[in-house]
Amino acid sequence: GFKMAEQDGGNVVDAPSQEGVQDLTAMVQTLLQQMQDKFQNMSDQIVSRIDEMGSRIDDLEKSLADLMAQAGVDDSK
């Protein structure tokens, strides 16, 4: 009944080949790197948009202060 795979020098059919494992590992590493790059890209975009919104809010505050000064409203208490 039971034969060991090493007896006839053949590989066990279910065991993945070393090349197959290396290919799979390389594919997974590439996929993870691509995902990391995409997340980094999205993160950078979000940060730059937040910075942009911050400077827009600063501009808005200056404009409001100017308008209030023109209207004669004293902001300092």
Side-chain angles (χ1 to χ4, degrees), residues 19-56:
E19 279 182 17
V21 171
Q22 287 173 349
D23 288 349
L24 188 60
T25 302
M27 276 177 49
V28 170
Q29 285 177 335
T30 301
L31 190 62
L32 288 174
Q33 186 62 52
Q34 288 172 347
M35 287 172 61
Q36 188 177 355
D37 292 345
K38 283 182 182 177
F39 278 121
Q40 187 61 53
N41 209 358
M42 289 189 330
S43 179
D44 292 344
Q45 285 180 352
I46 290 169
V47 169
S48 72
R49 285 184 185 176
I50 289 172
D51 288 343
E52 187 181 330
M53 278 175 25
S55 62
R56 283 184 178 183

mmCIF file of all heavy atoms in Angstrom, residues 19-56:
data_model
loop_
_atom_site.group_PDB
_atom_site.id
_atom_site.type_symbol
_atom_site.label_atom_id
_atom_site.label_comp_id
_atom_site.label_asym_id
_atom_site.label_seq_id
_atom_site.Cartn_x
_atom_site.Cartn_y
_atom_site.Cartn_z
ATOM 1 N N GLU A 19 9.961 26.469 -7.138
ATOM 2 C CA GLU A 19 9.746 27.590 -8.067
ATOM 3 C C GLU A 19 8.356 28.182 -7.888
ATOM 4 O O GLU A 19 8.186 29.394 -7.900
ATOM 5 C CB GLU A 19 9.915 27.124 -9.517
ATOM 6 C CG GLU A 19 11.354 27.049 -9.975
ATOM 7 C CD GLU A 19 11.457 26.634 -11.439
ATOM 8 O OE1 GLU A 19 10.434 26.726 -12.155
ATOM 9 O OE2 GLU A 19 12.539 26.218 -11.858
ATOM 10 N N GLY A 20 7.369 27.304 -7.728
ATOM 11 C CA GLY A 20 5.999 27.771 -7.550
ATOM 12 C C GLY A 20 5.858 28.601 -6.288
ATOM 13 O O GLY A 20 5.197 29.647 -6.294
ATOM 14 N N VAL A 21 6.497 28.154 -5.210
ATOM 15 C CA VAL A 21 6.454 28.896 -3.952
ATOM 16 C C VAL A 21 7.132 30.250 -4.120
ATOM 17 O O VAL A 21 6.629 31.275 -3.678
ATOM 18 C CB VAL A 21 7.124 28.090 -2.816
ATOM 19 C CG1 VAL A 21 7.270 28.947 -1.565
ATOM 20 C CG2 VAL A 21 6.302 26.848 -2.504
ATOM 21 N N GLN A 22 8.278 30.258 -4.808
ATOM 22 C CA GLN A 22 9.003 31.515 -5.026
ATOM 23 C C GLN A 22 8.185 32.471 -5.892
ATOM 24 O O GLN A 22 8.145 33.671 -5.627
ATOM 25 C CB GLN A 22 10.364 31.235 -5.674
ATOM 26 C CG GLN A 22 11.366 30.614 -4.708
ATOM 27 C CD GLN A 22 12.648 30.175 -5.390
ATOM 28 O OE1 GLN A 22 12.731 30.146 -6.614
ATOM 29 N NE2 GLN A 22 13.642 29.820 -4.585
ATOM 30 N N ASP A 23 7.541 31.927 -6.924
ATOM 31 C CA ASP A 23 6.696 32.770 -7.787
ATOM 32 C C ASP A 23 5.548 33.372 -6.988
ATOM 33 O O ASP A 23 5.250 34.562 -7.109
ATOM 34 C CB ASP A 23 6.124 31.939 -8.949
ATOM 35 C CG ASP A 23 7.189 31.580 -9.985
ATOM 36 O OD1 ASP A 23 8.301 32.144 -9.912
ATOM 37 O OD2 ASP A 23 6.892 30.744 -10.856
ATOM 38 N N LEU A 24 4.910 32.548 -6.169
ATOM 39 C CA LEU A 24 3.788 33.014 -5.354
ATOM 40 C C LEU A 24 4.257 34.073 -4.366
ATOM 41 O O LEU A 24 3.610 35.110 -4.193
ATOM 42 C CB LEU A 24 3.156 31.831 -4.618
ATOM 43 C CG LEU A 24 1.855 32.136 -3.877
ATOM 44 C CD1 LEU A 24 0.790 32.633 -4.860
ATOM 45 C CD2 LEU A 24 1.358 30.897 -3.145
ATOM 46 N N THR A 25 5.406 33.818 -3.742
ATOM 47 C CA THR A 25 5.964 34.786 -2.792
ATOM 48 C C THR A 25 6.240 36.112 -3.492
ATOM 49 O O THR A 25 5.911 37.182 -2.976
ATOM 50 C CB THR A 25 7.264 34.243 -2.173
ATOM 51 O OG1 THR A 25 6.982 33.007 -1.538
ATOM 52 C CG2 THR A 25 7.835 35.205 -1.157
ATOM 53 N N ALA A 26 6.825 36.046 -4.681
ATOM 54 C CA ALA A 26 7.132 37.264 -5.438
ATOM 55 C C ALA A 26 5.848 38.004 -5.802
ATOM 56 O O ALA A 26 5.780 39.234 -5.708
ATOM 57 C CB ALA A 26 7.925 36.918 -6.699
ATOM 58 N N MET A 27 4.815 37.256 -6.206
ATOM 59 C CA MET A 27 3.537 37.875 -6.558
ATOM 60 C C MET A 27 2.927 38.578 -5.361
ATOM 61 O O MET A 27 2.433 39.700 -5.470
ATOM 62 C CB MET A 27 2.549 36.819 -7.077
ATOM 63 C CG MET A 27 2.687 36.487 -8.540
ATOM 64 S SD MET A 27 1.533 35.165 -9.056
ATOM 65 C CE MET A 27 -0.018 35.737 -8.393
ATOM 66 N N VAL A 28 2.949 37.898 -4.209
ATOM 67 C CA VAL A 28 2.374 38.487 -2.990
ATOM 68 C C VAL A 28 3.156 39.729 -2.595
ATOM 69 O O VAL A 28 2.564 40.758 -2.246
ATOM 70 C CB VAL A 28 2.360 37.454 -1.840
ATOM 71 C CG1 VAL A 28 2.000 38.128 -0.525
ATOM 72 C CG2 VAL A 28 1.373 36.334 -2.154
ATOM 73 N N GLN A 29 4.492 39.676 -2.671
ATOM 74 C CA GLN A 29 5.314 40.841 -2.330
ATOM 75 C C GLN A 29 5.018 42.003 -3.262
ATOM 76 O O GLN A 29 4.895 43.153 -2.814
ATOM 77 C CB GLN A 29 6.801 40.482 -2.392
ATOM 78 C CG GLN A 29 7.262 39.650 -1.208
ATOM 79 C CD GLN A 29 8.717 39.230 -1.317
ATOM 80 O OE1 GLN A 29 9.276 39.142 -2.417
ATOM 81 N NE2 GLN A 29 9.337 38.965 -0.180
ATOM 82 N N THR A 30 4.873 41.720 -4.562
ATOM 83 C CA THR A 30 4.554 42.765 -5.533
ATOM 84 C C THR A 30 3.194 43.372 -5.227
ATOM 85 O O THR A 30 3.033 44.598 -5.236
ATOM 86 C CB THR A 30 4.560 42.183 -6.965
ATOM 87 O OG1 THR A 30 5.842 41.631 -7.232
ATOM 88 C CG2 THR A 30 4.247 43.255 -7.990
ATOM 89 N N LEU A 31 2.217 42.516 -4.935
ATOM 90 C CA LEU A 31 0.868 42.986 -4.619
ATOM 91 C C LEU A 31 0.872 43.865 -3.376
ATOM 92 O O LEU A 31 0.273 44.947 -3.361
ATOM 93 C CB LEU A 31 -0.053 41.782 -4.414
ATOM 94 C CG LEU A 31 -1.545 42.063 -4.304
ATOM 95 C CD1 LEU A 31 -2.064 42.686 -5.600
ATOM 96 C CD2 LEU A 31 -2.302 40.792 -3.989
ATOM 97 N N LEU A 32 1.572 43.417 -2.330
ATOM 98 C CA LEU A 32 1.654 44.199 -1.093
ATOM 99 C C LEU A 32 2.338 45.537 -1.343
ATOM 100 O O LEU A 32 1.917 46.568 -0.823
ATOM 101 C CB LEU A 32 2.406 43.419 -0.011
ATOM 102 C CG LEU A 32 1.651 42.235 0.588
ATOM 103 C CD1 LEU A 32 2.545 41.452 1.538
ATOM 104 C CD2 LEU A 32 0.403 42.700 1.320
ATOM 105 N N GLN A 33 3.398 45.533 -2.165
ATOM 106 C CA GLN A 33 4.107 46.775 -2.477
ATOM 107 C C GLN A 33 3.190 47.731 -3.224
ATOM 108 O O GLN A 33 3.161 48.927 -2.944
ATOM 109 C CB GLN A 33 5.359 46.473 -3.306
ATOM 110 C CG GLN A 33 6.228 47.700 -3.556
ATOM 111 C CD GLN A 33 6.765 48.300 -2.271
ATOM 112 O OE1 GLN A 33 7.352 47.608 -1.446
ATOM 113 N NE2 GLN A 33 6.570 49.589 -2.068
ATOM 114 N N GLN A 34 2.414 47.191 -4.193
ATOM 115 C CA GLN A 34 1.481 48.031 -4.951
ATOM 116 C C GLN A 34 0.423 48.624 -4.024
ATOM 117 O O GLN A 34 0.086 49.809 -4.140
ATOM 118 C CB GLN A 34 0.802 47.221 -6.060
ATOM 119 C CG GLN A 34 1.731 46.879 -7.211
ATOM 120 C CD GLN A 34 1.098 45.918 -8.205
ATOM 121 O OE1 GLN A 34 0.061 45.307 -7.927
ATOM 122 N NE2 GLN A 34 1.710 45.779 -9.360
ATOM 123 N N MET A 35 -0.105 47.815 -3.106
ATOM 124 C CA MET A 35 -1.102 48.307 -2.159
ATOM 125 C C MET A 35 -0.498 49.382 -1.265
ATOM 126 O O MET A 35 -1.120 50.413 -1.009
ATOM 127 C CB MET A 35 -1.647 47.159 -1.307
ATOM 128 C CG MET A 35 -2.574 46.231 -2.052
ATOM 129 S SD MET A 35 -3.010 44.750 -1.091
ATOM 130 C CE MET A 35 -3.830 45.473 0.316
ATOM 131 N N GLN A 36 0.732 49.147 -0.800
ATOM 132 C CA GLN A 36 1.398 50.128 0.053
ATOM 133 C C GLN A 36 1.582 51.441 -0.706
ATOM 134 O O GLN A 36 1.357 52.518 -0.153
ATOM 135 C CB GLN A 36 2.742 49.579 0.512
ATOM 136 C CG GLN A 36 3.429 50.441 1.559
ATOM 137 C CD GLN A 36 4.744 49.835 2.053
ATOM 138 O OE1 GLN A 36 5.105 48.730 1.676
ATOM 139 N NE2 GLN A 36 5.442 50.578 2.877
ATOM 140 N N ASP A 37 1.995 51.344 -1.970
ATOM 141 C CA ASP A 37 2.181 52.549 -2.790
ATOM 142 C C ASP A 37 0.864 53.297 -2.959
ATOM 143 O O ASP A 37 0.824 54.528 -2.871
ATOM 144 C CB ASP A 37 2.756 52.182 -4.165
ATOM 145 C CG ASP A 37 4.194 51.657 -4.075
ATOM 146 O OD1 ASP A 37 4.835 51.845 -3.017
ATOM 147 O OD2 ASP A 37 4.666 51.061 -5.064
ATOM 148 N N LYS A 38 -0.219 52.548 -3.210
ATOM 149 C CA LYS A 38 -1.525 53.191 -3.391
ATOM 150 C C LYS A 38 -1.985 53.878 -2.111
ATOM 151 O O LYS A 38 -2.487 55.009 -2.146
ATOM 152 C CB LYS A 38 -2.578 52.165 -3.831
ATOM 153 C CG LYS A 38 -2.469 51.776 -5.287
ATOM 154 C CD LYS A 38 -3.553 50.803 -5.698
ATOM 155 C CE LYS A 38 -3.385 50.390 -7.157
ATOM 156 N NZ LYS A 38 -4.381 49.399 -7.568
ATOM 157 N N PHE A 39 -1.810 53.196 -0.963
ATOM 158 C CA PHE A 39 -2.199 53.797 0.311
ATOM 159 C C PHE A 39 -1.356 55.036 0.597
ATOM 160 O O PHE A 39 -1.866 56.050 1.074
ATOM 161 C CB PHE A 39 -2.072 52.792 1.452
ATOM 162 C CG PHE A 39 -3.253 51.876 1.577
ATOM 163 C CD1 PHE A 39 -3.094 50.508 1.486
ATOM 164 C CD2 PHE A 39 -4.522 52.388 1.790
ATOM 165 C CE1 PHE A 39 -4.194 49.651 1.594
ATOM 166 C CE2 PHE A 39 -5.621 51.548 1.902
ATOM 167 C CZ PHE A 39 -5.451 50.173 1.803
ATOM 168 N N GLN A 40 -0.048 54.962 0.303
ATOM 169 C CA GLN A 40 0.837 56.111 0.525
ATOM 170 C C GLN A 40 0.393 57.279 -0.350
ATOM 171 O O GLN A 40 0.343 58.426 0.097
ATOM 172 C CB GLN A 40 2.285 55.725 0.208
ATOM 173 C CG GLN A 40 3.289 56.810 0.577
ATOM 174 C CD GLN A 40 3.285 57.129 2.058
ATOM 175 O OE1 GLN A 40 3.413 56.239 2.894
ATOM 176 N NE2 GLN A 40 3.122 58.394 2.412
ATOM 177 N N ASN A 41 0.040 56.965 -1.593
ATOM 178 C CA ASN A 41 -0.423 57.977 -2.539
ATOM 179 C C ASN A 41 -1.697 58.646 -2.033
ATOM 180 O O ASN A 41 -1.812 59.875 -2.025
ATOM 181 C CB ASN A 41 -0.657 57.314 -3.905
ATOM 182 C CG ASN A 41 -0.441 58.262 -5.054
ATOM 183 O OD1 ASN A 41 -0.145 59.442 -4.847
ATOM 184 N ND2 ASN A 41 -0.578 57.762 -6.263
ATOM 185 N N MET A 42 -2.656 57.821 -1.608
ATOM 186 C CA MET A 42 -3.920 58.355 -1.093
ATOM 187 C C MET A 42 -3.674 59.187 0.158
ATOM 188 O O MET A 42 -4.259 60.258 0.323
ATOM 189 C CB MET A 42 -4.905 57.221 -0.783
ATOM 190 C CG MET A 42 -5.446 56.549 -2.019
ATOM 191 S SD MET A 42 -6.809 55.372 -1.745
ATOM 192 C CE MET A 42 -6.519 54.715 -0.129
ATOM 193 N N SER A 43 -2.791 58.701 1.027
ATOM 194 C CA SER A 43 -2.473 59.415 2.257
ATOM 195 C C SER A 43 -1.874 60.782 1.942
ATOM 196 O O SER A 43 -2.265 61.791 2.532
ATOM 197 C CB SER A 43 -1.504 58.585 3.093
ATOM 198 O OG SER A 43 -1.154 59.253 4.270
ATOM 199 N N ASP A 44 -0.938 60.811 0.992
ATOM 200 C CA ASP A 44 -0.320 62.077 0.589
ATOM 201 C C ASP A 44 -1.364 63.037 0.027
ATOM 202 O O ASP A 44 -1.342 64.232 0.331
ATOM 203 C CB ASP A 44 0.773 61.839 -0.457
ATOM 204 C CG ASP A 44 1.974 61.098 0.117
ATOM 205 O OD1 ASP A 44 2.106 61.036 1.355
ATOM 206 O OD2 ASP A 44 2.786 60.585 -0.681
ATOM 207 N N GLN A 45 -2.284 62.510 -0.798
ATOM 208 C CA GLN A 45 -3.337 63.351 -1.375
ATOM 209 C C GLN A 45 -4.232 63.925 -0.281
ATOM 210 O O GLN A 45 -4.587 65.107 -0.326
ATOM 211 C CB GLN A 45 -4.183 62.551 -2.370
ATOM 212 C CG GLN A 45 -3.495 62.299 -3.692
ATOM 213 C CD GLN A 45 -4.373 61.513 -4.651
ATOM 214 O OE1 GLN A 45 -5.447 61.034 -4.284
ATOM 215 N NE2 GLN A 45 -3.918 61.367 -5.884
ATOM 216 N N ILE A 46 -4.591 63.093 0.693
ATOM 217 C CA ILE A 46 -5.465 63.555 1.779
ATOM 218 C C ILE A 46 -4.769 64.652 2.576
ATOM 219 O O ILE A 46 -5.369 65.686 2.876
ATOM 220 C CB ILE A 46 -5.861 62.371 2.688
ATOM 221 C CG1 ILE A 46 -6.821 61.439 1.943
ATOM 222 C CG2 ILE A 46 -6.498 62.867 3.969
ATOM 223 C CD1 ILE A 46 -7.066 60.115 2.643
ATOM 224 N N VAL A 47 -3.492 64.427 2.901
ATOM 225 C CA VAL A 47 -2.742 65.418 3.679
ATOM 226 C C VAL A 47 -2.652 66.729 2.910
ATOM 227 O O VAL A 47 -2.858 67.812 3.478
ATOM 228 C CB VAL A 47 -1.336 64.886 4.044
ATOM 229 C CG1 VAL A 47 -0.466 65.997 4.598
ATOM 230 C CG2 VAL A 47 -1.452 63.752 5.056
ATOM 231 N N SER A 48 -2.373 66.664 1.613
ATOM 232 C CA SER A 48 -2.237 67.907 0.843
ATOM 233 C C SER A 48 -3.581 68.623 0.724
ATOM 234 O O SER A 48 -3.631 69.857 0.753
ATOM 235 C CB SER A 48 -1.642 67.634 -0.544
ATOM 236 O OG SER A 48 -2.565 66.987 -1.381
ATOM 237 N N ARG A 49 -4.675 67.877 0.627
ATOM 238 C CA ARG A 49 -6.002 68.513 0.574
ATOM 239 C C ARG A 49 -6.351 69.158 1.911
ATOM 240 O O ARG A 49 -6.966 70.227 1.940
ATOM 241 C CB ARG A 49 -7.065 67.491 0.183
ATOM 242 C CG ARG A 49 -7.003 67.139 -1.301
ATOM 243 C CD ARG A 49 -8.111 66.216 -1.722
ATOM 244 N NE ARG A 49 -7.940 65.819 -3.121
ATOM 245 C CZ ARG A 49 -8.714 64.964 -3.732
ATOM 246 N NH1 ARG A 49 -9.726 64.393 -3.092
ATOM 247 N NH2 ARG A 49 -8.502 64.661 -5.004
ATOM 248 N N ILE A 50 -5.964 68.513 3.007
ATOM 249 C CA ILE A 50 -6.203 69.112 4.329
ATOM 250 C C ILE A 50 -5.390 70.394 4.469
ATOM 251 O O ILE A 50 -5.896 71.411 4.966
ATOM 252 C CB ILE A 50 -5.861 68.101 5.454
ATOM 253 C CG1 ILE A 50 -6.903 66.980 5.479
ATOM 254 C CG2 ILE A 50 -5.799 68.800 6.808
ATOM 255 C CD1 ILE A 50 -6.570 65.842 6.418
ATOM 256 N N ASP A 51 -4.127 70.364 4.017
ATOM 257 C CA ASP A 51 -3.296 71.573 4.042
ATOM 258 C C ASP A 51 -3.936 72.681 3.212
ATOM 259 O O ASP A 51 -3.984 73.840 3.632
ATOM 260 C CB ASP A 51 -1.889 71.273 3.498
ATOM 261 C CG ASP A 51 -1.060 70.428 4.458
ATOM 262 O OD1 ASP A 51 -1.434 70.351 5.644
ATOM 263 O OD2 ASP A 51 -0.043 69.873 4.018
ATOM 264 N N GLU A 52 -4.425 72.308 2.033
ATOM 265 C CA GLU A 52 -5.062 73.278 1.139
ATOM 266 C C GLU A 52 -6.302 73.876 1.806
ATOM 267 O O GLU A 52 -6.517 75.090 1.762
ATOM 268 C CB GLU A 52 -5.445 72.591 -0.176
ATOM 269 C CG GLU A 52 -5.968 73.520 -1.241
ATOM 270 C CD GLU A 52 -6.352 72.782 -2.513
ATOM 271 O OE1 GLU A 52 -5.728 71.739 -2.806
ATOM 272 O OE2 GLU A 52 -7.283 73.246 -3.197
ATOM 273 N N MET A 53 -7.117 73.026 2.441
ATOM 274 C CA MET A 53 -8.305 73.517 3.149
ATOM 275 C C MET A 53 -7.909 74.438 4.285
ATOM 276 O O MET A 53 -8.563 75.463 4.515
ATOM 277 C CB MET A 53 -9.133 72.340 3.689
ATOM 278 C CG MET A 53 -10.035 71.726 2.634
ATOM 279 S SD MET A 53 -10.953 70.231 3.148
ATOM 280 C CE MET A 53 -11.071 70.353 4.886
ATOM 281 N N GLY A 54 -6.836 74.108 4.993
ATOM 282 C CA GLY A 54 -6.359 74.949 6.083
ATOM 283 C C GLY A 54 -5.988 76.332 5.594
ATOM 284 O O GLY A 54 -6.362 77.341 6.218
ATOM 285 N N SER A 55 -5.266 76.409 4.480
ATOM 286 C CA SER A 55 -4.872 77.728 3.978
ATOM 287 C C SER A 55 -6.076 78.486 3.426
ATOM 288 O O SER A 55 -6.147 79.713 3.537
ATOM 289 C CB SER A 55 -3.770 77.602 2.915
ATOM 290 O OG SER A 55 -4.219 76.869 1.806
ATOM 291 N N ARG A 56 -7.044 77.769 2.852
ATOM 292 C CA ARG A 56 -8.267 78.428 2.394
ATOM 293 C C ARG A 56 -9.039 79.025 3.574
ATOM 294 O O ARG A 56 -9.590 80.124 3.482
ATOM 295 C CB ARG A 56 -9.172 77.452 1.644
ATOM 296 C CG ARG A 56 -8.718 77.158 0.227
ATOM 297 C CD ARG A 56 -9.729 76.270 -0.467
ATOM 298 N NE ARG A 56 -9.346 76.006 -1.838
ATOM 299 C CZ ARG A 56 -10.096 75.300 -2.690
ATOM 300 N NH1 ARG A 56 -11.248 74.791 -2.280
ATOM 301 N NH2 ARG A 56 -9.690 75.098 -3.913
#
